[in-house]
Amino acid sequence: MFELLRRNTIVAGVLAIIRIYLGYAWITGGWGKITGGEFDATGFLHGAIGKATGEHPAVQGWWAAFLETVALPNAGLF
């Protein structure tokens, strides 16, 4: 399987087209969030901070503290 991916020019061309398309989609999506002014990370930050507690926290305590003290007050920047 790895030899097919490494040496076959047709597979390499198809993968290149997929990579270019994904890169274009991510760049245009990100650019729309940066310039459109519609993106708000406040809800995501509150959710991440809320997942830092409990028996099996999904977010480390130090990261939640950073989010709460630095990222949340500056949500427009993040």
Side-chain angles (χ1 to χ4, degrees), residues 44-45 47-54 56-65 67:
F44 173 77
L45 294 173
I49 293 167
K51 292 181 181 179
T53 59
H56 299 288
V59 177
Q60 297 291 326
W62 64 270
W63 184 248
L67 292 177

Side-chain angles (χ1 to χ4, degrees), residues 1-34:
M1 180 69 173
F2 291 115
E3 291 299 318
L4 173 71
L5 294 174
R6 288 184 186 172
R7 298 182 189 260
N8 192 325
T9 57
I10 295 172
V11 173
V14 170
L15 290 176
I17 290 170
I18 292 171
R19 290 177 67 190
I20 291 169
Y21 171 75
L22 282 175
Y24 175 77
W26 288 349
I27 287 174
T28 56
W31 185 254
K33 290 176 183 174
I34 291 171

